Amino acid sequence: MADLPHPLAAFIVGEIRRARGAAGMTQEAFGRGAGFSASHVSAVEGETRALTMDFIKGADRALNNAGLFERMVGKLGTPSWFLPWLDAERTATQLRCFQPSLVPGLLQTESYGRAVIRCNQTLSDDEVEKRLAHRMDRQATLTKATAPHFIAVIAEAVLRRARADFREIMAGQIKQLTTLAERPNISVHVLPDEVSMHVGLTGPFSLARLPDHKWVAEMENQLGGVVVDRDDDVDTLMSRWEMVRSEALPRRQSLDLMREVETSWT
């Protein structure tokens, strides 16, 4: 159940199971209403198959409950707009990420991730730790047996942004970046500071290639974000990806630069 933080996924599955039982529905009858086979329903309820947004929406249809479970997920944990991206991220055969201001979440250390999340001063310590645990759980995507090829382009300024009390965290983060970038399925490319103007300055975005070869994209902003699947919009982001990727350093040169910066922080 990698799509949602495990405690939340287990809770939602339990509630769906109870609602199905209360409605007197067998797994087969529930599956017909939800658009899934009885074996699929059994696997989700037994926690041997991932809980997806499609299944949650199907459960709402089968139980005719006006979207209760979809709203519950949005209220209790992951923002509803982000759930389709988690589905895409989990099943992707290739992931591409451009980040001009932060280390991508899938590559962050626990210390770096906590510092980033804590920037939102409206969050309680408990909320920070819950969001951090979710972020760390998502990183299993890059190390599983069927891990996608992950390509990240990050701005050099991201590596060098460290005041005195943040340098130890940043040194650890860059060390993790270089370690991960040595994996055969992960490439990290640095966009050097000397490239002062480029199309990526308008903001970060990610792209996922799905098993059916379709691409979807995700963009975040101050109010949340959006998942993009319209062909024209994805094509625009794909074109912008090619532009920023072409300005970035090759893989080996990027590793050398990251090691140079890491040395300067230690």
Side-chain angles (χ1 to χ4, degrees):
M1 296 168 129
D3 297 43
L4 305 178
H6 184 268
L8 175 59
F11 172 74
I12 296 295
V13 167
E15 291 303 304
I16 290 174
R17 187 191 304 114
R18 276 186 283 275
R20 177 179 64 77
M25 301 176 72
T26 64
Q27 290 180 336
E28 184 176 1
F30 174 87
R32 283 197 300 270
F36 295 92
S37 66
S39 60
H40 188 118
V41 174
S42 177
V44 171
E45 290 189 353
E47 300 188 20
T48 61
R49 188 159 189 162
L51 175 65
T52 66
M53 197 61 202
D54 282 344
F55 190 91
I56 291 169
K57 290 179 178 178
D60 284 333
R61 287 195 304 272
L63 296 165
N64 194 27
N65 61 11
L68 173 64
F69 292 116
E70 184 176 0
R71 295 198 308 276
M72 189 181 293
V73 169
K75 288 290 185 181
L76 295 180
T78 307
S80 59
W81 73 265
F82 197 53
L83 289 171
W85 176 252
L86 291 181
D87 284 346
E89 188 178 82
R90 178 182 59 83
T91 60
T93 59
Q94 185 177 131
L95 291 166
R96 301 177 179 181
C97 177
F98 169 65
Q99 255 295 354
S101 54
L102 294 169
V103 172
L106 290 180
L107 303 179
Q108 291 178 5
T109 63
E110 186 173 309
S111 295
Y112 183 96
R114 181 179 288 108
V116 170
I117 296 169
R118 281 195 185 281
C119 288
N120 184 347
Q121 298 178 359
T122 66
L123 298 177
S124 67
D125 289 345
D126 186 52
E127 289 171 323
V128 168
E129 292 306 314
K130 285 180 180 178
R131 293 193 183 195
L132 178 64
H134 183 202
R135 187 167 298 180
M136 296 299 104
D137 285 347
R138 285 172 55 208
Q139 294 180 356
T141 295
L142 299 184
T143 57
K144 63 185 180 181
T146 56
H149 184 201
F150 180 73
I151 308 170
V153 174
I154 60 177
E156 181 180 349
V158 172
L159 305 177
R160 299 190 183 278
R161 184 180 297 115
R163 63 188 187 192
D165 62 349
F166 191 62
R167 288 186 178 181
E168 184 176 350
I169 291 175
M170 199 65 227
Q173 176 62 75
I174 297 176
K175 183 175 182 179
Q176 174 152 304
L177 278 176
T178 57
T179 299
L180 290 172
E182 292 284 5
R183 295 179 63 91
N185 67 308
I186 299 176
S187 301
V188 179
H189 300 271
V190 178
L191 187 64
D193 284 342
E194 64 191 49
V195 183
S196 57
M197 297 297 292
H198 55 84
V199 71
L201 290 174
T202 53
F205 60 91
S206 297
L207 292 152
R209 188 187 191 203
L210 305 182
D212 63 1
H213 307 299
K214 180 180 176 64
W215 287 88
V216 297
E218 173 264 337
M219 299 180 295
E220 295 184 39
N221 56 54
Q222 290 288 342
L223 297 178
V226 62
V227 175
V228 176
D229 59 6
R230 287 183 64 250
D231 289 344
D232 288 349
D233 294 335
V234 172
D235 287 347
T236 296
L237 290 174
M238 191 70 74
S239 175
R240 294 190 176 194
W241 164 263
E242 294 298 337
M243 292 179 192
V244 295
R245 173 64 188 85
S246 68
E247 295 283 8
L249 297 174
R251 186 175 186 176
R252 281 290 147 196
Q253 286 181 245
S254 295
L255 277 167
D256 289 343
L257 178 57
M258 286 188 285
R259 292 191 179 107
E260 174 193 319
V261 176
E262 179 191 350
T263 300
S264 73
W265 293 140
T266 56

